[in-house]
Amino acid sequence: MYVLGIESTCDETAAAIVRLRPQGGGEIICDEVRSQIEEHAPYGGVVPEIAARAHIDIVDGLVARAMEKSGLAFADLQGIAAAAGPGLIGGVMVGLLTGKALAFAAKKPFLAINHLEAHALTARLTDNIAFPYLLLLASGGHTQLIAVNGVGDYTRLGTTMDDAIGEAFDKVAKLLGLPYPGGPHVERQAEQGDPLRFDLPRPMMGRPQADFSLSGLKTAVRIQAEKIGPLSPRDVADLCASFQAAIVDVIVDRSRMGLRLFRASHGHPKAMVVAGGVAANQAIRRSLTRFCGEAGLPLIMPPPKLCTDNGAMIAWAGIEKLRLGLSDPMDFAARPRWPLDQKAERIHNGKA
Ligand code: KG4
Ligand code: ZN
Protein backbone atom coordinates (compact mmCIF):
# COMPACT_ATOMS: atom_id res chain seq x y z
CA MET A 1 0.00 0.00 0.00
CA TYR A 2 1.39 3.42 -1.06
CA VAL A 3 -0.11 6.72 0.15
CA LEU A 4 0.81 10.31 -0.71
CA GLY A 5 0.65 12.75 2.22
CA ILE A 6 0.51 16.56 2.06
CA GLU A 7 1.22 18.89 5.00
CA SER A 8 0.64 22.67 5.12
CA THR A 9 -0.84 23.52 8.53
CA CYS A 10 1.94 25.82 9.77
CA ASP A 11 5.24 26.96 8.27
CA GLU A 12 6.38 23.77 6.54
CA THR A 13 5.12 22.62 3.16
CA ALA A 14 5.65 18.90 2.71
CA ALA A 15 4.77 16.03 0.38
CA ALA A 16 5.76 12.43 1.02
CA ILE A 17 5.00 8.90 -0.08
CA VAL A 18 4.96 6.09 2.47
CA ARG A 19 4.57 2.38 1.92
CA LEU A 20 2.99 0.00 4.43
CA ARG A 21 5.47 -2.82 5.10
CA PRO A 22 3.98 -6.33 5.02
CA GLN A 23 5.22 -6.90 8.58
CA GLY A 24 3.75 -3.57 9.79
CA GLY A 25 5.38 -0.16 10.18
CA GLY A 26 6.10 2.10 7.25
CA GLU A 27 8.80 2.72 4.69
CA ILE A 28 9.31 6.34 3.68
CA ILE A 29 9.78 6.30 -0.07
CA CYS A 30 10.37 10.07 -0.27
CA ASP A 31 9.74 13.03 2.02
CA GLU A 32 10.03 16.52 0.56
CA VAL A 33 9.90 19.29 3.19
CA ARG A 34 10.33 23.03 2.60
CA SER A 35 10.53 25.26 5.65
CA GLN A 36 9.41 28.89 5.50
CA ILE A 37 11.46 29.85 8.56
CA GLU A 38 13.46 32.47 6.64
CA GLU A 39 10.29 34.22 5.46
CA HIS A 40 8.92 34.45 9.01
CA ALA A 41 12.17 35.05 10.92
CA PRO A 42 12.12 38.88 10.55
CA TYR A 43 8.74 38.89 12.36
CA GLY A 44 9.82 36.60 15.21
CA GLY A 45 6.96 34.18 14.53
CA VAL A 46 4.77 32.69 11.83
CA VAL A 47 2.72 35.25 9.85
CA PRO A 48 -0.43 33.42 8.62
CA GLU A 49 -0.86 35.38 5.37
CA ILE A 50 2.80 34.91 4.38
CA ALA A 51 2.53 31.20 5.24
CA ALA A 52 -0.56 30.63 3.07
CA ARG A 53 1.00 32.37 0.07
CA ALA A 54 4.25 30.45 0.45
CA HIS A 55 2.34 27.13 0.56
CA ILE A 56 0.49 28.06 -2.66
CA ASP A 57 3.76 28.92 -4.38
CA ILE A 58 5.40 25.57 -3.84
CA VAL A 59 2.90 22.82 -3.01
CA ASP A 60 2.34 21.59 -6.56
CA GLY A 61 6.06 21.55 -7.36
CA LEU A 62 6.74 19.67 -4.14
CA VAL A 63 4.13 17.00 -4.93
CA ALA A 64 5.58 16.66 -8.45
CA ARG A 65 9.08 16.24 -7.00
CA ALA A 66 7.89 13.60 -4.53
CA MET A 67 6.16 11.64 -7.30
CA GLU A 68 9.21 11.89 -9.52
CA LYS A 69 11.61 10.74 -6.78
CA SER A 70 9.38 7.79 -5.90
CA GLY A 71 9.24 6.59 -9.49
CA LEU A 72 5.51 5.94 -8.94
CA ALA A 73 2.52 7.12 -10.93
CA PHE A 74 -0.70 8.36 -9.29
CA ALA A 75 -2.30 5.11 -10.47
CA ASP A 76 0.13 3.21 -8.18
CA LEU A 77 -1.15 4.96 -5.04
CA GLN A 78 -3.87 3.49 -2.84
CA GLY A 79 -4.86 6.84 -1.37
CA ILE A 80 -4.09 10.56 -1.07
CA ALA A 81 -3.95 12.15 2.37
CA ALA A 82 -3.78 15.80 3.37
CA ALA A 83 -3.69 17.53 6.75
CA ALA A 84 -7.12 19.14 7.27
CA GLY A 85 -6.21 20.87 10.56
CA PRO A 86 -5.67 22.02 13.20
CA GLY A 87 -3.58 24.94 12.06
CA LEU A 88 -3.55 28.23 10.21
CA ILE A 89 -6.67 28.15 8.06
CA GLY A 90 -5.15 29.68 4.91
CA GLY A 91 -2.33 27.16 4.82
CA VAL A 92 -4.55 24.21 5.74
CA MET A 93 -6.87 25.03 2.81
CA VAL A 94 -3.96 25.01 0.36
CA GLY A 95 -2.83 21.48 1.21
CA LEU A 96 -6.35 20.15 1.71
CA LEU A 97 -7.59 21.41 -1.67
CA THR A 98 -4.45 20.10 -3.37
CA GLY A 99 -5.04 16.66 -1.86
CA LYS A 100 -8.72 16.64 -2.82
CA ALA A 101 -8.00 17.74 -6.40
CA LEU A 102 -5.36 15.03 -6.83
CA ALA A 103 -7.60 12.35 -5.31
CA PHE A 104 -10.47 13.41 -7.57
CA ALA A 105 -8.32 13.45 -10.70
CA ALA A 106 -6.61 10.14 -9.89
CA LYS A 107 -9.86 8.54 -8.68
CA LYS A 108 -8.29 7.53 -5.37
CA PRO A 109 -9.68 7.50 -1.82
CA PHE A 110 -9.14 10.81 -0.04
CA LEU A 111 -8.03 11.02 3.60
CA ALA A 112 -8.45 14.19 5.67
CA ILE A 113 -5.84 13.91 8.40
CA ASN A 114 -5.73 15.50 11.84
CA HIS A 115 -2.19 16.92 12.07
CA LEU A 116 -1.98 16.03 15.77
CA GLU A 117 -3.08 12.48 15.04
CA ALA A 118 -0.30 12.26 12.46
CA HIS A 119 2.24 13.30 15.14
CA ALA A 120 0.65 10.80 17.54
CA LEU A 121 0.91 7.85 15.11
CA THR A 122 4.44 8.52 13.81
CA ALA A 123 5.98 6.11 16.33
CA ARG A 124 4.03 3.30 14.64
CA LEU A 125 5.53 4.26 11.28
CA THR A 126 9.08 4.20 12.68
CA ASP A 127 8.87 1.55 15.39
CA ASN A 128 5.69 -0.42 14.65
CA ILE A 129 4.62 -0.15 18.30
CA ALA A 130 1.32 -1.46 19.62
CA PHE A 131 -1.47 0.53 21.29
CA PRO A 132 -1.93 1.87 23.90
CA TYR A 133 0.91 4.30 24.60
CA LEU A 134 1.54 7.55 26.43
CA LEU A 135 2.32 10.46 24.11
CA LEU A 136 3.98 13.74 24.98
CA LEU A 137 3.37 16.08 22.06
CA ALA A 138 5.48 19.19 22.44
CA SER A 139 5.75 21.67 19.59
CA GLY A 140 5.50 25.40 19.00
CA GLY A 141 1.71 25.21 19.00
CA HIS A 142 0.88 22.23 21.18
CA THR A 143 1.75 20.73 24.54
CA GLN A 144 -0.29 17.70 25.45
CA LEU A 145 -0.01 14.41 27.29
CA ILE A 146 -2.27 11.92 25.55
CA ALA A 147 -3.31 8.30 25.99
CA VAL A 148 -3.17 6.91 22.45
CA ASN A 149 -5.61 4.01 22.63
CA GLY A 150 -6.07 3.32 18.91
CA VAL A 151 -6.53 5.09 15.57
CA GLY A 152 -9.08 7.82 16.24
CA ASP A 153 -9.19 6.98 19.95
CA TYR A 154 -7.36 9.47 22.17
CA THR A 155 -7.71 10.63 25.74
CA ARG A 156 -6.14 13.92 26.72
CA LEU A 157 -4.47 13.56 30.11
CA GLY A 158 -2.98 17.03 30.26
CA THR A 159 -2.53 20.21 28.26
CA THR A 160 -1.11 23.70 28.66
CA MET A 161 -3.14 26.44 30.27
CA ASP A 162 -1.19 29.10 28.36
CA ASP A 163 2.01 28.80 26.28
CA ALA A 164 3.15 25.64 24.48
CA ILE A 165 6.64 24.41 25.43
CA GLY A 166 8.15 25.36 22.06
CA GLU A 167 6.43 28.73 22.31
CA ALA A 168 8.03 29.28 25.74
CA PHE A 169 11.46 28.52 24.24
CA ASP A 170 10.71 30.92 21.36
CA LYS A 171 9.54 33.72 23.67
CA VAL A 172 12.52 33.36 26.02
CA ALA A 173 14.84 33.40 22.99
CA LYS A 174 13.20 36.58 21.73
CA LEU A 175 13.49 38.41 25.03
CA LEU A 176 17.16 37.42 25.25
CA GLY A 177 17.83 38.65 21.71
CA LEU A 178 18.28 35.17 20.17
CA PRO A 179 16.95 34.32 16.68
CA TYR A 180 13.66 32.61 15.79
CA PRO A 181 12.82 29.77 16.19
CA GLY A 182 14.38 29.95 19.59
CA GLY A 183 14.49 26.33 20.80
CA PRO A 184 17.80 25.28 19.23
CA HIS A 185 19.45 28.61 20.17
CA VAL A 186 18.33 28.41 23.79
CA GLU A 187 19.58 24.83 23.93
CA ARG A 188 22.99 25.80 22.49
CA GLN A 189 23.34 28.68 24.97
CA ALA A 190 22.22 26.45 27.84
CA GLU A 191 25.05 24.01 27.14
CA GLN A 192 27.53 26.73 28.15
CA GLY A 193 25.50 28.19 31.01
CA ASP A 194 25.04 27.61 34.73
CA PRO A 195 21.60 26.06 35.39
CA LEU A 196 21.83 26.89 39.10
CA ARG A 197 22.54 30.62 38.81
CA PHE A 198 18.90 31.70 38.65
CA ASP A 199 16.26 30.19 40.87
CA LEU A 200 13.31 30.02 38.47
CA PRO A 201 9.83 28.67 39.27
CA ARG A 202 8.66 25.19 38.20
CA PRO A 203 4.96 25.96 37.51
CA MET A 204 2.39 23.19 38.15
CA MET A 205 4.95 20.80 39.62
CA GLY A 206 3.29 18.37 42.00
CA ARG A 207 -0.23 19.28 40.86
CA PRO A 208 -2.67 16.33 40.66
CA GLN A 209 -3.55 16.86 36.97
CA ALA A 210 -1.00 16.50 34.16
CA ASP A 211 -1.42 20.08 32.94
CA PHE A 212 1.27 22.64 32.13
CA SER A 213 1.52 26.39 32.62
CA LEU A 214 4.58 28.11 31.22
CA SER A 215 3.87 31.80 30.87
CA GLY A 216 4.89 32.47 34.50
CA LEU A 217 8.27 30.85 33.90
CA LYS A 218 8.83 33.00 30.83
CA THR A 219 7.88 36.10 32.87
CA ALA A 220 10.31 35.06 35.62
CA VAL A 221 13.10 34.92 33.01
CA ARG A 222 12.15 38.40 31.80
CA ILE A 223 12.16 39.81 35.34
CA GLN A 224 15.61 38.34 36.03
CA ALA A 225 16.91 39.63 32.69
CA GLU A 226 15.63 43.15 33.41
CA LYS A 227 17.11 43.07 36.91
CA ILE A 228 20.65 42.29 35.74
CA GLY A 229 20.61 43.92 32.27
CA PRO A 230 22.34 44.89 30.05
CA LEU A 231 23.07 41.21 29.57
CA SER A 232 26.56 39.82 28.99
CA PRO A 233 26.97 36.64 26.90
CA ARG A 234 27.49 34.80 30.20
CA ASP A 235 24.19 36.16 31.57
CA VAL A 236 22.34 34.98 28.45
CA ALA A 237 23.88 31.50 28.68
CA ASP A 238 23.09 31.25 32.42
CA LEU A 239 19.49 32.42 31.89
CA CYS A 240 19.04 29.86 29.10
CA ALA A 241 20.53 27.08 31.24
CA SER A 242 18.36 27.99 34.24
CA PHE A 243 15.24 28.23 32.05
CA GLN A 244 15.92 24.91 30.35
CA ALA A 245 16.57 23.20 33.70
CA ALA A 246 13.18 24.44 34.95
CA ILE A 247 11.41 23.24 31.78
CA VAL A 248 13.07 19.83 32.03
CA ASP A 249 11.95 19.46 35.67
CA VAL A 250 8.39 20.43 34.72
CA ILE A 251 8.28 18.04 31.75
CA VAL A 252 9.48 15.08 33.83
CA ASP A 253 7.07 15.87 36.67
CA ARG A 254 4.11 16.31 34.32
CA SER A 255 5.03 13.11 32.43
CA ARG A 256 5.13 11.24 35.75
CA MET A 257 1.65 12.54 36.53
CA GLY A 258 0.47 11.67 33.02
CA LEU A 259 1.73 8.12 33.46
CA ARG A 260 -0.07 7.86 36.81
CA LEU A 261 -3.34 9.05 35.23
CA PHE A 262 -2.81 6.67 32.32
CA ARG A 263 -2.35 3.70 34.63
CA ALA A 264 -5.39 4.65 36.68
CA SER A 265 -7.70 4.89 33.68
CA HIS A 266 -6.20 2.79 30.87
CA GLY A 267 -3.88 0.23 32.47
CA HIS A 268 -0.24 -0.06 31.49
CA PRO A 269 1.00 1.77 28.40
CA LYS A 270 3.28 -0.21 26.09
CA ALA A 271 5.64 2.75 25.71
CA MET A 272 6.10 6.48 26.08
CA VAL A 273 6.40 8.41 22.82
CA VAL A 274 7.70 11.96 22.47
CA ALA A 275 6.88 13.96 19.34
CA GLY A 276 6.94 17.56 18.16
CA GLY A 277 9.84 19.92 17.49
CA VAL A 278 10.77 20.22 21.17
CA ALA A 279 11.69 16.51 21.16
CA ALA A 280 14.87 17.56 19.34
CA ASN A 281 16.16 18.99 22.65
CA GLN A 282 18.92 16.76 24.00
CA ALA A 283 18.48 17.76 27.66
CA ILE A 284 14.79 16.86 27.47
CA ARG A 285 15.59 13.61 25.68
CA ARG A 286 18.16 12.66 28.36
CA SER A 287 15.79 13.38 31.26
CA LEU A 288 12.91 11.48 29.69
CA THR A 289 15.23 8.55 28.95
CA ARG A 290 16.09 8.45 32.66
CA PHE A 291 12.45 8.84 33.70
CA CYS A 292 11.25 6.02 31.43
CA GLY A 293 14.14 3.80 32.55
CA GLU A 294 13.00 4.23 36.16
CA ALA A 295 9.35 3.66 35.19
CA GLY A 296 10.23 0.51 33.24
CA LEU A 297 8.71 1.96 30.08
CA PRO A 298 10.29 1.85 26.62
CA LEU A 299 10.82 5.41 25.34
CA ILE A 300 10.29 5.98 21.64
CA MET A 301 11.53 9.20 20.12
CA PRO A 302 11.21 9.29 16.35
CA PRO A 303 14.23 10.91 14.63
CA PRO A 304 14.09 14.75 14.82
CA LYS A 305 13.15 15.01 11.12
CA LEU A 306 9.98 13.03 11.87
CA CYS A 307 9.28 14.87 15.15
CA THR A 308 8.92 18.20 13.37
CA ASP A 309 6.27 18.78 10.71
CA ASN A 310 6.63 16.54 7.66
CA GLY A 311 4.60 14.81 4.97
CA ALA A 312 5.50 11.24 5.91
CA MET A 313 3.45 11.41 9.11
CA ILE A 314 0.40 12.58 7.11
CA ALA A 315 0.83 9.75 4.59
CA TRP A 316 1.25 7.25 7.45
CA ALA A 317 -1.91 8.45 9.23
CA GLY A 318 -3.63 7.97 5.85
CA ILE A 319 -2.36 4.39 5.73
CA GLU A 320 -3.60 3.77 9.29
CA LYS A 321 -7.09 4.95 8.32
CA LEU A 322 -7.17 3.22 4.93
CA ARG A 323 -6.31 -0.17 6.36
CA LEU A 324 -9.26 0.19 8.72
CA GLY A 325 -11.43 0.79 5.67
CA LEU A 326 -11.80 4.52 6.40
CA SER A 327 -11.73 7.43 3.96
CA ASP A 328 -13.19 10.94 3.88
CA PRO A 329 -15.69 12.79 1.67
CA MET A 330 -14.61 15.48 -0.78
CA ASP A 331 -16.59 18.12 1.11
CA PHE A 332 -14.49 17.64 4.27
CA ALA A 333 -13.89 21.21 5.48
CA ALA A 334 -10.60 22.63 6.82
CA ARG A 335 -10.61 22.76 10.62
CA PRO A 336 -8.48 25.48 12.23
CA ARG A 337 -9.31 23.89 15.59
CA TRP A 338 -9.54 20.11 15.82
CA PRO A 339 -8.78 18.59 19.24
CA LEU A 340 -7.64 14.96 19.27
CA ASP A 341 -9.80 14.22 22.25
CA GLN A 342 -13.21 15.65 21.31
CA LYS A 343 -14.54 14.99 24.81
CA ALA A 344 -11.81 17.00 26.55
CA GLU A 345 -12.78 20.31 27.99
CA ARG A 346 -11.72 23.31 25.94
CA ILE A 347 -8.99 25.32 27.61
CA HIS A 348 -9.47 29.06 27.36
CA ASN A 349 -6.40 29.77 25.21
CA GLY A 350 -7.77 27.62 22.38
CA LYS A 351 -4.48 25.75 22.02
CA ALA A 352 -5.83 22.57 23.48
O1 KG4 B 1 6.81 20.61 15.63
P1 KG4 B 1 7.46 21.88 15.18
O2 KG4 B 1 8.53 21.81 14.13
O3 KG4 B 1 6.43 22.89 14.61
C1 KG4 B 1 5.22 23.18 15.22
O4 KG4 B 1 5.23 24.01 16.13
O5 KG4 B 1 4.21 22.55 14.79
O6 KG4 B 1 8.03 22.58 16.49
C2 KG4 B 1 8.70 23.82 16.44
C3 KG4 B 1 8.96 24.23 17.87
C4 KG4 B 1 9.51 25.64 17.96
O7 KG4 B 1 8.82 26.32 19.00
C5 KG4 B 1 10.97 25.43 18.30
O8 KG4 B 1 11.54 26.49 19.05
C6 KG4 B 1 10.91 24.15 19.11
O9 KG4 B 1 9.95 23.36 18.45
N1 KG4 B 1 12.21 23.49 19.10
C7 KG4 B 1 12.96 23.28 20.21
C8 KG4 B 1 14.17 22.70 19.76
N2 KG4 B 1 14.11 22.56 18.41
C9 KG4 B 1 12.91 23.05 18.02
N3 KG4 B 1 12.71 23.54 21.49
C10 KG4 B 1 13.67 23.22 22.38
N4 KG4 B 1 14.86 22.68 22.03
C11 KG4 B 1 15.16 22.41 20.76
N5 KG4 B 1 16.34 21.88 20.42
ZN1 ZN C 1 3.23 19.80 14.15
Side-chain angles (χ1 to χ4, degrees), residues 308-334:
T308 56
D309 291 350
N310 64 84
M313 68 177 190
I314 305 297
W316 175 255
I319 288 177
E320 293 264 30
K321 287 177 76 168
L322 258 187
R323 66 175 168 170
L324 293 175
L326 303 171
S327 66
D328 293 295
M330 284 295 184
D331 61 356
F332 196 102

Side-chain angles (χ1 to χ4, degrees), residues 7 9 115-116 119 137 139 142 276 307-309 313:
E7 158 63 30
T9 60
H115 175 94
L116 301 177
H119 276 303
L137 177 58
S139 70
H142 301 278
C307 283
T308 56
D309 291 350
M313 68 177 190

Side-chain angles (χ1 to χ4, degrees), residues 242-286:
S242 301
F243 164 76
Q244 187 172 278
I247 286 265
V248 164
D249 284 352
V250 169
I251 289 176
V252 171
D253 178 78
R254 303 292 70 203
S255 299
R256 184 173 294 120
M257 187 53 67
L259 179 57
R260 197 172 299 166
L261 294 175
F262 193 117
R263 285 183 170 149
S265 56
H266 295 78
H268 290 284
K270 301 264 190 341
M272 177 169 186
V273 173
V274 189
V278 176
N281 186 292
Q282 294 300 324
I284 294 172
R285 290 173 90 100
R286 276 195 302 274

